[in-house]
Amino acid sequence: MKARILLIEDNADNLELARYLLAAAGHEVLLATNGAQGLDVARAEQPDMIVSDLQMPVMDGYALIAALKCDPSCLGIPVIALTAFSMPGDEARVMQAGFDGYLSKPIEPEQFSAQIADLLSSNRRAAESPPAAA
Ligand code: MN
Protein backbone atom coordinates (compact mmCIF):
# COMPACT_ATOMS: atom_id res chain seq x y z
CA MET A 1 0.00 0.00 0.00
CA LYS A 2 1.62 3.25 -1.14
CA ALA A 3 1.34 6.24 1.15
CA ARG A 4 2.57 9.79 1.70
CA ILE A 5 4.66 9.63 4.84
CA LEU A 6 6.12 12.57 6.74
CA LEU A 7 9.43 11.61 8.35
CA ILE A 8 10.71 13.87 11.15
CA GLU A 9 14.21 13.16 12.47
CA ASP A 10 17.14 15.40 13.44
CA ASN A 11 19.86 12.74 13.08
CA ALA A 12 21.09 12.83 9.48
CA ASP A 13 22.03 9.14 9.33
CA ASN A 14 18.67 7.96 10.69
CA LEU A 15 16.83 10.41 8.44
CA GLU A 16 18.60 9.13 5.34
CA LEU A 17 18.20 5.44 6.21
CA ALA A 18 14.49 5.77 7.00
CA ARG A 19 13.93 7.95 3.92
CA TYR A 20 15.68 5.39 1.74
CA LEU A 21 13.65 2.47 3.14
CA LEU A 22 10.33 4.28 2.78
CA ALA A 23 11.13 5.39 -0.78
CA ALA A 24 12.32 1.86 -1.68
CA ALA A 25 8.91 0.56 -0.57
CA GLY A 26 7.28 2.99 -3.02
CA HIS A 27 6.11 5.60 -0.56
CA GLU A 28 6.22 9.33 -1.15
CA VAL A 29 8.40 10.77 1.62
CA LEU A 30 8.18 14.27 3.10
CA LEU A 31 11.02 15.34 5.38
CA ALA A 32 11.48 17.58 8.41
CA THR A 33 14.32 17.82 10.92
CA ASN A 34 12.49 19.10 14.01
CA GLY A 35 8.98 19.09 15.42
CA ALA A 36 8.15 22.68 14.50
CA GLN A 37 9.08 22.14 10.87
CA GLY A 38 7.23 18.83 10.93
CA LEU A 39 4.08 20.51 12.25
CA ASP A 40 4.18 23.04 9.40
CA VAL A 41 4.60 20.27 6.80
CA ALA A 42 1.83 18.16 8.38
CA ARG A 43 -0.62 21.08 8.24
CA ALA A 44 0.28 21.99 4.68
CA GLU A 45 0.60 18.52 3.17
CA GLN A 46 -1.79 16.33 5.20
CA PRO A 47 0.30 13.14 4.96
CA ASP A 48 -1.21 9.66 5.41
CA MET A 49 1.14 8.91 8.31
CA ILE A 50 3.83 10.66 10.35
CA VAL A 51 6.95 8.89 11.63
CA SER A 52 8.71 11.08 14.20
CA ASP A 53 11.79 11.01 16.36
CA LEU A 54 11.26 12.07 19.98
CA GLN A 55 14.45 13.93 20.91
CA MET A 56 14.84 16.87 18.53
CA PRO A 57 15.79 20.53 18.76
CA VAL A 58 13.23 23.37 18.64
CA MET A 59 10.21 21.12 19.28
CA ASP A 60 10.50 17.52 20.48
CA GLY A 61 8.22 14.62 19.61
CA TYR A 62 6.06 15.02 22.71
CA ALA A 63 5.36 18.69 22.01
CA LEU A 64 4.70 17.78 18.39
CA ILE A 65 2.09 15.11 19.17
CA ALA A 66 0.35 17.48 21.60
CA ALA A 67 0.16 20.16 18.88
CA LEU A 68 -1.04 17.70 16.22
CA LYS A 69 -3.81 16.32 18.43
CA CYS A 70 -5.03 19.89 19.14
CA ASP A 71 -5.25 20.71 15.42
CA PRO A 72 -8.53 19.59 13.78
CA SER A 73 -6.79 19.27 10.40
CA CYS A 74 -4.13 16.91 11.79
CA LEU A 75 -5.64 14.96 14.68
CA GLY A 76 -6.69 12.07 12.43
CA ILE A 77 -3.21 11.46 11.03
CA PRO A 78 -1.57 8.40 12.62
CA VAL A 79 1.72 9.35 14.30
CA ILE A 80 4.40 6.75 14.94
CA ALA A 81 7.28 7.40 17.34
CA LEU A 82 10.79 6.48 16.22
CA THR A 83 12.66 5.92 19.45
CA ALA A 84 15.46 4.05 21.20
CA PHE A 85 13.44 3.63 24.44
CA SER A 86 16.55 4.45 26.45
CA MET A 87 14.76 4.98 29.77
CA PRO A 88 12.44 2.69 31.78
CA GLY A 89 8.84 3.76 31.22
CA ASP A 90 9.54 5.27 27.81
CA GLU A 91 7.20 2.90 25.98
CA ALA A 92 4.25 3.63 28.26
CA ARG A 93 4.99 7.35 28.08
CA VAL A 94 4.98 7.25 24.28
CA MET A 95 1.61 5.55 24.05
CA GLN A 96 0.10 7.74 26.78
CA ALA A 97 1.25 10.82 24.87
CA GLY A 98 -1.04 9.82 22.02
CA PHE A 99 1.27 8.15 19.53
CA ASP A 100 -0.41 5.46 17.42
CA GLY A 101 2.58 3.13 17.51
CA TYR A 102 6.34 3.07 17.70
CA LEU A 103 9.37 1.90 15.78
CA SER A 104 12.56 1.15 17.66
CA LYS A 105 16.02 2.51 16.94
CA PRO A 106 18.55 1.51 15.80
CA ILE A 107 16.66 1.03 12.54
CA GLU A 108 16.86 -2.57 11.30
CA PRO A 109 15.94 -2.32 7.59
CA GLU A 110 13.82 -5.45 7.15
CA GLN A 111 12.02 -5.03 10.45
CA PHE A 112 11.42 -1.31 9.86
CA SER A 113 9.91 -1.89 6.41
CA ALA A 114 7.66 -4.71 7.66
CA GLN A 115 6.48 -2.62 10.61
CA ILE A 116 5.67 0.34 8.37
CA ALA A 117 3.55 -1.93 6.15
CA ASP A 118 1.73 -3.32 9.20
CA LEU A 119 1.11 0.13 10.65
CA LEU A 120 -0.23 1.44 7.36
CA SER A 121 -2.65 -1.46 6.92
CA SER A 122 -3.84 -1.43 10.53
CA ASN A 123 -4.35 2.33 10.58
CA ARG A 124 -6.10 2.18 7.20
CA ARG A 125 -8.49 -0.46 8.52
CA ALA A 126 -9.20 1.62 11.62
CA ALA A 127 -9.94 4.69 9.51
CA GLU A 128 -12.24 2.78 7.16
CA SER A 129 -14.18 0.72 9.69
CA PRO A 130 -17.70 2.13 10.14
CA PRO A 131 -18.72 3.41 13.56
CA ALA A 132 -20.37 0.72 15.70
CA ALA A 133 -24.15 0.80 15.67
CA ALA A 134 -25.59 2.42 18.76
MN1 MN B 1 16.85 12.97 17.74
Side-chain angles (χ1 to χ4, degrees):
M1 172 186 317
K2 309 305 182 204
R4 294 176 78 229
I5 300 177
L6 169 56
L7 176 63
I8 311 171
E9 166 65 76
D10 68 315
N11 177 281
D13 290 339
N14 286 331
L15 183 74
E16 175 53 22
L17 178 55
R19 185 207 62 75
Y20 173 82
L21 293 170
L22 293 171
H27 303 303
E28 180 182 347
V29 190
L30 307 168
L31 299 176
T33 56
N34 66 64
Q37 190 184 37
L39 186 59
D40 287 344
V41 176
R43 286 172 168 153
E45 301 290 340
Q46 298 287 303
D48 299 313
M49 179 179 281
I50 297 170
V51 175
S52 180
D53 185 23
L54 293 181
Q55 294 181 298
M56 299 181 285
V58 186
M59 176 188 277
D60 72 10
Y62 292 107
L64 170 66
I65 189 97
L68 288 168
K69 297 306 180 187
C70 288
D71 183 326
S73 77
C74 293
L75 62 80
I77 304 171
V79 188
I80 310 304
L82 182 59
T83 174
F85 286 136
S86 55
M87 300 289 287
D90 278 353
E91 183 174 342
R93 186 176 173 215
V94 162
M95 300 312 284
Q96 283 167 7
F99 286 93
D100 299 281
Y102 58 85
L103 296 162
S104 48
K105 287 195 272 196
I107 296 168
E108 300 290 346
E110 286 187 20
Q111 185 182 29
F112 179 88
S113 298
Q115 287 177 319
I116 288 287
D118 284 349
L119 288 162
L120 282 169
S121 65
S122 61
N123 281 287
R124 179 75 52 101
R125 273 199 305 277
E128 287 176 354
S129 58

Coordinates of all heavy atoms in Angstrom, one line a residue, residues 9-11 14 53-57 105, ligand 1:
E9 N 13.0 13.7 11.8 CA 14.2 13.2 12.5 C 15.4 14.1 12.4 O 15.6 14.7 11.3 CB 14.5 11.8 11.8 CG 15.9 11.2 12.1 CD 16.0 10.8 13.6 OE1 15.5 9.7 14.0 OE2 16.7 11.5 14.3
D10 N 16.0 14.4 13.5 CA 17.1 15.4 13.4 C 18.5 14.7 13.2 O 19.5 15.4 12.8 CB 17.2 16.2 14.7 CG 17.6 15.4 15.9 OD1 17.1 14.3 16.1 OD2 18.4 15.8 16.7
N11 N 18.6 13.4 13.3 CA 19.9 12.7 13.1 C 20.0 12.4 11.6 O 19.1 11.7 11.1 CB 19.9 11.5 13.9 CG 21.2 10.7 13.6 OD1 21.3 10.0 12.7 ND2 22.2 10.8 14.5
N14 N 20.0 8.6 10.5 CA 18.7 8.0 10.7 C 17.7 8.5 9.7 O 16.9 7.7 9.1 CB 18.1 8.2 12.1 CG 18.8 7.4 13.2 OD1 19.3 6.3 12.9 ND2 18.9 7.9 14.4
D53 N 10.8 11.1 15.3 CA 11.8 11.0 16.4 C 11.2 11.7 17.6 O 10.3 12.5 17.5 CB 13.1 11.7 15.9 CG 14.2 11.6 16.9 OD1 14.2 10.7 17.7 OD2 15.1 12.5 16.8
L54 N 11.7 11.4 18.8 CA 11.3 12.1 20.0 C 12.2 13.2 20.4 O 11.8 14.3 20.7 CB 11.1 11.1 21.1 CG 10.0 10.0 20.9 CD1 10.0 9.1 22.2 CD2 8.7 10.7 20.7
Q55 N 13.5 12.9 20.5 CA 14.5 13.9 20.9 C 15.0 14.7 19.7 O 15.7 14.2 18.9 CB 15.6 13.3 21.6 CG 15.2 12.6 22.9 CD 16.4 12.0 23.6 OE1 17.0 11.1 23.1 NE2 16.7 12.5 24.8
M56 N 14.5 16.0 19.6 CA 14.8 16.9 18.5 C 14.9 18.3 19.1 O 14.3 18.6 20.0 CB 13.7 16.8 17.5 CG 13.5 15.5 16.8 SD 12.2 15.5 15.6 CE 10.7 15.7 16.6
P57 N 15.7 19.1 18.4 CA 15.8 20.5 18.8 C 14.5 21.3 18.4 O 13.7 20.7 17.6 CB 17.0 21.1 17.9 CG 17.0 20.2 16.7 CD 16.6 18.8 17.2
K105 N 14.7 2.2 17.5 CA 16.0 2.5 16.9 C 17.0 1.7 17.7 O 16.8 1.4 18.9 CB 16.4 4.0 17.1 CG 15.6 4.9 16.1 CD 16.2 6.3 16.0 CE 15.7 7.2 17.0 NZ 15.9 8.6 16.7
Ligands
MN1 MN 16.9 13.0 17.7

